[in-house]
Amino acid sequence: MATSPRQGPESDAFDAAVARLTAATHPGDDLCAPFVGVTGVAGAALSTLGRPLGSQTVCASNAVAARIDEIQIDLGEGPCWEALSTRHPVLESDIQRGGGSNWPAAREAFRSLRIGALFAFPMHVGDLSVGSVDLFSHTARPLAPALVEDVSVLASIAAHQVLRRVLQDLDSADEGMSEGPYSRREMHQASGMIAAQLRIGVDDALVVLRAHAFSSGRTVRAVAVDVIARRITFDNPPRDLQS
């Protein structure tokens, strides 16, 4: 088991988090709480991202954490995607004042949530991209280098547990994740319907779905539900039965 080189309460908290994550082998086990306990942040969320596992929230410690994850999955941009692609943590200690030009739409959405800091850690298993761990704080704050190291270790353990769950659920769910409070099954079904209506690929259809959600100020899931119910169609010309 991984252990912290530090001594005292910080080391004890890290060791407890490692033990809890390592033992979290059942679908109902909480993967988010160990990260909150170690860092003292306001919330955490874990998600799978992109191929091959699909994009979906695995767990979220509260509604704000879930919304942070949803924003990034809906928009296809944000610190979680950057962390996954670079394989390095993304540390935004002051999201309200930070002026980075990366992921501008997500950054604006985060500011509307009035969060202070946002940190993303990649989850990989070998060469396989699994997803990301997002941590947020209500106030601006840095994440100490020792905590960055600790969370990176925890993210590696969590990656294995998430992959284990995906493999267990392959027979009963689309893209590896089972039905649950963060299921995005509707999004994939709606993308297929849009693809058929517009005679385009599913990946392009997902872009259309995201663009419609963004332009209307709604979540992708909400728009997807309307597409499935045929309240919104993308025929030629497209029509929105709610407008």
Side-chain angles (χ1 to χ4, degrees):
M1 182 177 71
T3 57
S4 172
R6 292 174 288 149
Q7 302 296 320
E10 294 85 358
S11 177
D12 293 342
F14 173 77
D15 293 344
V18 168
R20 186 169 181 181
L21 279 177
T22 303
T25 57
H26 301 291
D29 291 337
D30 188 355
L31 298 176
C32 288
F35 290 93
V36 176
V38 163
T39 58
V41 295
L46 275 67
S47 60
T48 57
L49 296 171
R51 297 187 179 183
L53 304 182
S55 300
Q56 182 169 301
T57 301
V58 176
C59 70
S61 57
N62 54 45
V64 175
R67 181 58 184 146
I68 289 170
D69 226 32
E70 184 178 42
I71 286 169
Q72 296 179 89
I73 294 175
D74 282 359
L75 295 176
E77 68 171 42
C80 69
W81 295 98
E82 182 178 338
L84 189 65
S85 64
T86 63
R87 288 182 170 249
H88 292 290
V90 176
L91 309 174
E92 289 282 335
S93 59
D94 192 341
I95 199 73
Q96 296 295 331
R97 296 186 178 182
S101 59
N102 51 343
W103 30 275
R107 188 181 294 272
E108 188 64 26
F110 296 147
R111 286 172 175 161
S112 69
L113 295 179
R114 301 188 181 278
I115 60 175
L118 185 57
F119 313 108
F121 291 79
M123 292 193 297
H124 293 91
V125 175
D127 292 333
L128 178 68
S129 296
V130 175
S132 175
V133 178
D134 286 343
L135 310 175
F136 84 93
S137 172
H138 288 300
T139 58
R141 57 163 285 190
L143 202 62
L147 283 178
V148 172
E149 182 178 346
D150 286 352
V151 174
S152 296
V153 173
L154 296 178
S156 178
I157 299 172
H160 284 81
Q161 298 294 36
V162 170
L163 182 59
R164 182 200 302 270
R165 295 184 183 187
V166 169
L167 295 176
Q168 290 173 342
D169 292 340
L170 274 175
D171 292 337
S172 59
D174 294 337
E175 291 195 291
M177 294 307 296
S178 63
E179 291 286 4
Y182 308 111
S183 172
R184 298 178 71 82
R185 186 183 294 270
E186 298 97 338
M187 184 182 75
H188 303 302
Q189 183 178 347
S191 296
M193 294 175 65
I194 295 170
Q197 291 169 15
L198 298 180
R199 298 181 182 180
I200 59 177
V202 174
D203 288 344
D204 290 336
L206 180 57
V207 172
V208 172
L209 179 63
R210 284 172 169 163
H212 187 94
F214 181 73
S215 65
S216 61
R218 304 174 67 201
T219 67
V220 171
R221 177 182 283 185
V223 173
V225 169
D226 284 346
V227 171
I228 294 169
R230 301 188 182 278
R231 289 189 290 267
I232 297 175
T233 67
F234 292 83
D235 301 310
N236 189 20
R239 59 191 174 93
D240 186 334
L241 300 186
Q242 289 189 329
S243 62

